[in-house]
Amino acid sequence: MKQFISVKDVRQPSELMKLAKMLKKQPFAHRHYGQNKTLGLLFFNPSLRTRMSTQKAALNLGMDVMVMNFNSDSWTIELANGTVMDQGTQEHIKEAAAVISQYCDIIGVRTFAGLKDVEDDYGETILKKFIEYASVPVISLESATLHPLQSLADWLTIDEHKAHSRPKVVLTWAPHPRALPQAVANSFVQWMQVADVDLTITFPTGMDLSPDFTKGCKVTNNQEEAFQNADFVYAKNWSSYSNYGQKATGHEDWIVTQYKMALTNNGKFMHCLPVRRNVVVSDDVLDKPMSIVIEQANNRTYAAQAVLLKMLGYEG
Ligand code: CP
């Protein structure tokens, strides 16, 4: 695998999920693959889970890891070609990516959407420039539009907890005080479309996702109708795609509660974390066994480990 920025980079996604499942049982079985190899994790945005789970995944494989927080620790990166760099930026991405490629065998990059310019965000400017100028494989640690490591872990979690084949999975928009990117939701939809699940997406009118992602999916603006008989409820806030980057107002009643979860088929509650308690989901859901968010976060390690192992040349 030369890059991992989308499910489209994976030849057999279900095999990758099964590899993650196998690695969860035997996390140290492939340590020789990472010997004398270095993973560089580059963060333009904050992270807890992605940073620590990907680091743990690399350590499980015997790799060394270097982490760089670009916004606090590095030079300010210039992206545009042909710029006279006499303003705030100090280092061009051409040199930065080329130099980092000499230190690292695989590079992971986290770069969120700015939510101001849809073409810039959906063009994945920073990630694509890293791929262009790096000479080693690049993994997305969440980009402007996608979060594939999260989605692979989500799929593994659903596979582990499903009580029957083709479970009903509901992706529900949930309230949040800030405008958030669409990356987790877009990516979850992409991966669920290749998984054997019955997916429904629900959001308030106006809080749509890009039709490029929702095309062919069941979509409803009636949250309670969507929750009927669901086996899994995945909550996530996102800002509007059509009103690009706009935050919703007046939809606080889209919070996931025990009352709504009672409409499901004894459904499990999922969220990528971090989650705003009693805004996105009530305590009486999050603190009950129906919530599988901690196991979901645990699975981030094995999702990352599967991707790294493939990039290190594992063919099994
Ligand atoms: N879910 C997730 O990506 O968490 P972090 O932002 O903490 O990495």
Side-chain angles (χ1 to χ4, degrees):
M1 209 184 322
K2 297 286 280 179
Q3 63 178 40
F4 181 76
I5 64 170
S6 147
V7 72
K8 292 176 187 165
D9 294 317
V10 185
R11 212 176 306 143
Q12 293 178 300
S14 63
E15 293 304 310
L16 191 64
M17 189 275 286
K18 285 180 197 155
L19 178 60
K21 202 171 183 175
M22 185 271 280
L23 289 167
K24 190 171 181 178
K25 290 191 187 108
Q26 293 187 300
F28 308 117
H30 300 85
R31 289 183 74 78
H32 52 289
Y33 273 88
Q35 208 172 17
N36 301 326
K37 303 281 185 193
T38 301
L39 173 67
L41 298 176
L42 315 179
F43 288 91
F44 288 86
N45 304 96
S47 170
L48 187 161
R49 277 143 292 273
T50 306
R51 176 171 170 157
M52 295 187 75
S53 65
T54 311
Q55 209 162 342
K56 185 169 162 60
L59 295 173
N60 286 352
L61 291 171
M63 299 183 83
D64 291 317
V65 187
M66 294 195 289
V67 181
M68 171 64 86
N69 296 310
F70 265 84
N71 287 343
S72 57
D73 300 341
S74 184
W75 305 110
T76 307
I77 297 294
E78 176 62 53
L79 298 171
N81 289 340
T83 313
V84 178
M85 287 172 55
D86 60 356
Q87 298 294 314
T89 55
Q90 294 146 323
E91 174 153 25
H92 201 279
I93 195 164
K94 280 188 188 180
E95 284 79 50
V99 168
I100 294 164
S101 299
Q102 297 178 114
Y103 306 150
C104 302
D105 299 281
I106 300 172
I107 298 173
V109 181
R110 165 164 282 202
T111 165
F112 287 171
L115 295 179
K116 292 191 170 66
D117 182 334
V118 64
E119 281 175 24
D120 191 35
D121 287 344
Y122 276 71
E124 295 284 11
T125 309
I126 296 184
L127 188 63
K128 286 203 173 146
K129 283 193 185 275
F130 261 106
I131 291 167
E132 183 179 355
Y133 299 122
S135 54
V136 297
V138 173
I139 297 177
S140 165
L141 304 174
E142 184 172 346
S143 68
T145 66
L146 294 170
H147 195 356
L149 286 177
Q150 179 68 54
S151 309
L152 180 56
D154 297 339
W155 187 3
L156 171 58
T157 310
I158 289 170
D159 191 73
E160 286 177 333
H161 286 85
K162 69 183 182 192
H164 58 91
S165 62
R166 204 166 166 73
K168 178 174 178 181
V169 176
V170 175
L171 171 64
T172 180
W173 183 94
H176 197 280
R178 294 179 48 223
L180 297 185
Q182 296 119 23
V184 170
N186 286 344
S187 194
F188 185 71
V189 170
Q190 248 193 357
W191 284 77
M192 287 301 100
Q193 283 173 330
V194 300
D196 187 21
V197 303
D198 175 15
L199 177 67
T200 298
I201 308 168
T202 184
F203 50 81
T205 305
M207 299 313 296
D208 51 333
L209 292 167
S210 161
D212 286 344
F213 288 94
T214 56
K215 194 167 46 188
C217 295
K218 285 183 216 165
V219 174
T220 172
N221 300 129
N222 185 331
Q223 191 188 38
E224 292 195 6
E225 182 186 287
F227 274 43
Q228 298 285 342
N229 293 319
D231 297 296
F232 295 90
V233 171
Y234 194 116
K236 184 71 186 85
N237 173 271
W238 60 82
S239 54
S240 173
Y241 178 77
S242 56
N243 233 330
Y244 192 66
Q246 286 295 302
K247 180 171 99 66
T249 49
H251 294 300
E252 289 76 14
D253 58 340
W254 276 68
I255 182 174
V256 178
T257 60
Q258 198 171 29
Y259 163 77
K260 290 179 193 171
M261 290 301 291
L263 302 171
T264 69
N265 178 28
N266 201 19
K268 301 292 186 195
F269 175 79
M270 299 178 70
H271 189 282
C272 61
L273 304 182
V275 67
R276 301 249 184 170
R277 280 177 173 260
N278 302 309
V279 176
V280 171
V281 56
S282 57
D283 286 344
D284 59 13
V285 172
L286 208 49
D287 292 332
K288 294 277 168 55
M290 74 179 96
S291 170
I292 53 173
V293 298
I294 303 301
E295 196 54 37
Q296 190 182 349
N298 185 33
N299 285 339
R300 292 292 309 275
T301 297
Y302 309 105
Q305 201 169 329
V307 171
L308 289 172
L309 189 56
K310 278 289 189 190
M311 282 191 166
L312 290 168
Y314 179 77
E315 297 286 356

